Amino acid sequence: RPLHMGVIQRSKQDAKDNPDGAQPMYCFASETCAFDLIGAKLIREVEPGEVICISLDNVGNPQDFKSYRLPGKYGVSPCIFEYVYFARADSQIFGSYVDDVRYRSGMQLAREAPVPKGEKVVVVPVPTSANAAALGYARECQKLGFKCTYDLGLVRNNYVGRTFITPGQADRALKVRRKFGVSKRVVEGAIVVLVDDSIVRGTTSMRLVSLLMDHGAKEVHFRSASPPVKNPCYFGMDFPDPKELIANKCEDTKAISAKIGTRSLAYLSWEGLKEAVMDTKPSSKTWCGACFTGNYPVPIPKGKEKIEDW
């Protein structure tokens, strides 16, 4: 995950009167939203392979911090899935704001797979990681001449954690049932276009489609603001076994749509996702999207398997 460096600057007098470091001035975090919570100021990102050393000799000025570079063999390829799902929307990573990337992903998705034609078409996000993508999708569809509205048809229970990283199918299904409620005002009699950040196992998607239909939706269409997830991650993300991924269990997109119970299904293309990211002018030009493409930035030992130890 990315590392960022921040500073809390109180006053020169505070710094001078505090030689024992009882009140810390410098902090590091994987996301900038941590700085916002404590009123810290972002100085810059810690570069890939960089080690920053702070000592009593240089603590007074960030420009004096010693920086060391670890040698790299395969170049720099930040994880693009951080933008899709893992990072918080109000964070800045790799030089771009997560919310901006997600909004542009929705815009690009609209160009590739707009809403269906019909009466009372409503775009509904899967809260909260898909909120920005769904808003960008709806607005771009409207610009393209398609009639639709954007509304909050799903209500999220904030006291239930992420189902993506929950071990065990039964536990995931139970958590999905507790995690979401439905606004009947929004979905009853409507053609619902459900926008989510991704589809991994399909457990959440199937349950949400069923919930919407049970609450009176006329039709449910699904749009994913990222490509199909087909491959495991060996770099720290807890992706499941490839055999559990719905994109590998079904023959094609049409079969996945039938499996989750939707009238139609479309994914944002890999090229479309990269275009959405690059439009925000990030600090990196290359990305790891191995979970989508199978092209890993470093060699993976043959026969390597991911082991879940709970």
Side-chain angles (χ1 to χ4, degrees), residues 15-305:
K16 183 178 180 181
D17 291 344
N18 185 31
D20 58 357
Q23 291 181 313
M25 292 182 61
Y26 299 100
C27 55
F28 296 84
S30 61
E31 295 186 34
T32 58
C33 61
F35 298 154
D36 298 334
L37 293 174
I38 60 175
K41 176 185 175 182
L42 173 67
I43 297 177
R44 67 174 179 88
E45 292 189 4
V46 178
E47 300 295 330
E50 181 183 14
V51 177
I52 294 178
C53 295
I54 303 175
S55 67
L56 292 176
D57 297 330
N58 62 22
V59 70
N61 186 355
Q63 303 302 323
D64 295 333
F65 292 170
K66 292 184 178 179
S67 175
Y68 302 91
R69 302 280 176 168
L70 300 176
K73 293 176 60 178
Y74 302 103
V76 176
S77 299
C79 172
I80 204 168
F81 206 78
E82 289 281 352
Y83 284 127
V84 173
Y85 176 77
F86 283 108
R88 224 170 77 165
D90 56 338
S91 280
Q92 181 182 354
I93 59 172
F94 314 131
S96 297
Y97 285 99
V98 175
D99 179 78
D100 192 11
V101 172
R102 291 177 182 174
Y103 186 88
R104 292 172 185 270
S105 296
M107 293 174 60
Q108 183 62 32
L109 180 59
R111 301 178 193 121
E112 297 182 10
V115 298
K117 295 180 179 180
E119 297 295 324
K120 197 182 178 182
V121 178
V122 57
V123 176
V124 172
V126 178
T128 57
S129 55
N131 286 357
L135 183 60
Y137 177 81
R139 287 180 176 173
E140 188 66 15
C141 282
Q142 291 165 353
K143 288 182 181 179
L144 294 172
F146 292 88
K147 292 182 179 181
C148 66
T149 59
Y150 171 89
D151 212 333
L152 303 179
L154 290 173
V155 180
R156 189 183 188 279
N157 179 355
N158 292 322
Y159 301 100
V160 177
R162 287 178 160 179
T163 55
F164 170 76
I165 56 176
T166 302
Q169 179 67 21
D171 288 340
R172 284 190 295 272
L174 176 61
K175 198 172 260 190
V176 170
R177 287 195 296 272
R178 296 184 316 195
K179 187 174 182 178
F180 296 103
V182 178
S183 171
K184 202 165 185 178
R185 169 191 64 82
V186 175
V187 307
E188 189 172 29
I191 298 175
V192 177
V193 182
L194 192 62
V195 178
D196 203 355
D197 54 75
S198 60
I199 305 176
V200 183
R201 298 177 180 89
T203 304
T204 300
S205 305
M206 281 185 276
R207 178 59 184 166
L208 292 179
V209 172
S210 178
L211 275 174
L212 292 169
M213 294 301 294
D214 289 345
H215 284 78
K218 184 179 179 182
E219 299 175 7
V220 179
H221 301 256
F222 205 106
R223 300 291 183 267
S224 171
S226 63
V229 177
K230 295 184 175 182
N231 308 284
C233 175
Y234 297 97
F235 311 121
M237 302 306 182
D238 189 24
F239 278 10
D241 186 291
K243 295 188 290 292
E244 295 182 32
L245 300 170
I246 195 169
N248 293 333
K249 295 169 73 173
C250 297
E251 185 177 354
D252 52 25
T253 301
K254 188 175 181 179
I256 298 173
S257 179
K259 181 79 172 178
I260 64 177
T262 57
R263 285 289 188 96
S264 72
L265 166 65
Y267 291 91
L268 179 61
S269 67
W270 170 237
E271 293 301 321
L273 177 58
K274 288 192 294 182
E275 182 176 339
V277 172
M278 296 309 297
D279 281 347
T280 64
K281 297 180 173 55
S283 56
S284 180
K285 305 300 180 186
T286 56
W287 304 93
C288 176
C291 53
F292 304 125
T293 66
N295 297 321
Y296 295 93
V298 300
I300 301 299
K302 291 184 178 180
K304 182 72 174 177
E305 294 183 358

